[in-house]
Amino acid sequence: MSAPDSPGEGGNTEYGRKSFKRSKSHFADRITADGRDGWPVEAGRYRLVASRACPWASRALVSRRLLGLEEAISLAVVDPLQDDRSWRFTLDPDGRDPVLGIRFLSEAYDAREKDYPGGVSVPAVVDVPSGRLVTNDYQRITLDFATEWTALHRPGAPDLYPQELRDEIDEVMEGVYRDVNNGVYRAGFAMSQEEYEGAYRDVFRRLDWLSERLADRRYLVGRSLTEADIRLFTTLVRFDAVYHGHFKCNRSKLAEDPVLWGYVRDLYQTPGFGDTVDFDHIKRHYYMVHTGINPRRIVPVGPDLTGWLTPHAREALGGRPFGDGTPPGPPPVAERVPESGRPPGVAAA
């Protein structure tokens, strides 16, 4: 993203006088099993750079965990707060990423294309040997994790993008992206009352549709977790903490919809989902970086996070989270979410 108070997430964002627009990712090379774009799947070669605050990057965090790719592609977590050079590695000793040796993600962008005019966004995959950005295509990265990295998946990894369900998954994801994933941003960064109200209506029209769809099924498509659930989860888990107030999507809280609240708690309590969520990073990023919306940078104390641990009863709908597979093991020690980012009483893993 290129606007001063934008989150630098999921591609660039253009702020016109009357509208908000999320543009396509500029660097759309793919890492594939056959290496047809010049980037073959190879264990240890690439580094995923992500922000735990960013819903678009969080898709990659969840997918990587579910598929067991932690040893195949290493992880760099950036500071949730940015300066004028965007995402920075100030959480690491000496403010440098220990693998890439850089202070700012922009350095990997510059190594790929000097004076690139767009913003610096996450998720980003960097080629470790050259230090060059490979891709920031947030829509494609997780699909390729599921379909191109299969030789490096853990035993028992789920099929997150099954061939026989792809048309339905794609259709569901398209509506979720337009009206929910991106819809909350269209509402939050609206430049006119009319634009805001249109986005607001889209968000809740789609949430109502999702609530109806999920009333009698545990997952969005089929009887197991898919890419569609990952993409919806990363917006829903932020809804009450951020989008309800900060982005003015305030018709109702997620916790006031029994179906969606049960669904998102079910996912949060599933290994690979909640153990990637850092509520501290989420709140500090949105409320402190978006100074155009929140100029005093005051971070709300609430909402109460203990509800995330309560029973959801979604098991009664049937289905198996991992299909014929198994849950992922605990996250690597170095990747565990700090206590400050977890609901009270939640162990690191």
Side-chain angles (χ1 to χ4, degrees):
M1 291 189 177
S2 55
D5 74 340
S6 67
E9 306 159 352
N12 303 320
T13 304
E14 299 171 5
Y15 293 79
R17 293 179 61 188
K18 297 182 179 180
S19 65
F20 166 95
K21 181 181 180 182
R22 188 178 302 279
S23 59
K24 294 182 179 179
S25 299
H26 180 74
F27 300 100
D29 286 3
R30 294 177 59 190
I31 300 170
T32 58
D34 62 8
R36 56 186 176 272
D37 280 3
W39 307 104
V41 168
E42 183 180 331
R45 175 171 175 176
Y46 306 101
R47 189 156 175 82
L48 172 66
V49 180
S51 165
R52 295 194 188 277
C54 164
W56 317 95
S58 291
R59 297 174 176 182
L61 295 178
V62 174
S63 176
R64 176 176 171 271
R65 284 276 294 124
L66 294 177
L67 298 173
L69 291 171
E70 292 99 328
E71 293 185 8
I73 179 167
S74 64
L75 175 66
V77 176
V78 291
D79 194 312
L81 304 183
Q82 302 156 281
D83 62 18
D84 58 0
R85 291 190 62 180
S86 194
W87 298 109
R88 52 190 185 164
F89 296 101
T90 45
L91 300 180
D92 295 303
D94 301 320
R96 288 187 183 275
D97 179 81
V99 173
L100 300 174
I102 57 178
R103 294 186 181 277
F104 298 90
L105 179 56
S106 60
E107 295 174 59
Y109 276 68
D110 288 342
R112 171 67 185 271
E113 184 178 319
K114 194 68 176 175
D115 299 321
Y116 157 63
V120 177
S121 66
V122 289
V125 179
V126 179
D127 178 50
V128 174
S130 67
R132 297 168 61 207
L133 176 75
V134 176
T135 177
N136 66 349
D137 190 347
Y138 64 100
Q139 298 281 48
R140 190 71 233 179
I141 288 172
T142 50
L143 294 180
D144 283 343
F145 278 178
T147 60
E148 297 290 337
W149 290 70
T150 53
L152 298 176
H153 287 181
R154 66 178 176 86
D159 185 352
L160 297 175
Y161 197 46
Q163 185 71 50
E164 69 276 10
L165 296 176
R166 287 183 187 178
D167 288 346
E168 186 178 0
I169 291 171
D170 290 346
E171 181 180 3
V172 170
M173 290 194 306
E174 195 280 329
V176 167
Y177 168 79
R178 183 185 62 245
D179 298 332
V180 180
N181 301 147
N182 202 45
V184 294
Y185 281 83
R186 288 170 41 230
F189 288 107
M191 302 297 287
S192 70
Q193 186 71 29
E194 180 183 16
E195 182 189 354
Y196 158 70
E197 291 185 10
Y200 173 99
R201 287 191 294 269
D202 288 343
V203 167
F204 286 101
R205 174 179 53 81
R206 184 64 59 177
L207 289 179
D208 289 343
W209 180 85
L210 289 163
S211 182
E212 181 177 352
R213 181 180 180 91
L214 289 163
D216 60 358
R217 63 173 75 194
R218 191 171 180 185
Y219 303 109
L220 277 174
V221 182
R223 295 179 55 80
S224 302
L225 293 164
T226 68
E227 176 78 13
D229 297 294
I230 296 174
R231 295 190 181 195
L232 179 57
F233 171 79
T234 59
T235 295
L236 295 188
V237 79
R238 290 161 170 77
F239 198 89
D240 288 2
V242 175
Y243 304 139
H244 178 270
H246 187 58
F247 279 178
K248 305 180 185 68
C249 294
N250 60 356
R251 187 198 73 179
S252 53
K253 294 180 180 178
L254 197 70
E256 295 169 354
D257 183 310
V259 172
L260 292 181
W261 181 225
Y263 168 77
V264 75
R265 278 181 294 146
D266 185 6
L267 295 184
Y268 182 85
Q269 294 169 29
T270 299
F273 283 83
D275 54 36
T276 69
V277 176
D278 190 323
F279 285 106
D280 174 61
H281 278 208
I282 289 168
K283 292 203 305 182
R284 286 197 293 126
H285 171 77
Y286 280 90
Y287 289 104
M288 296 182 72
V289 171
H290 298 170
T291 53
I293 299 174
N294 186 36
R296 295 191 182 275
R297 307 178 78 211
I298 294 172
V299 180
V301 175
D304 182 2
L305 300 178
T306 56
W308 288 98
L309 310 178
T310 57
H312 50 74
R314 296 280 295 178
E315 302 95 333
L317 296 174
R320 296 177 296 165
F322 305 99
D324 293 330
T326 57
V333 173
E335 296 181 11
R336 292 177 181 173
V337 174
E339 183 178 356
S340 61
R342 306 192 302 268
V346 175

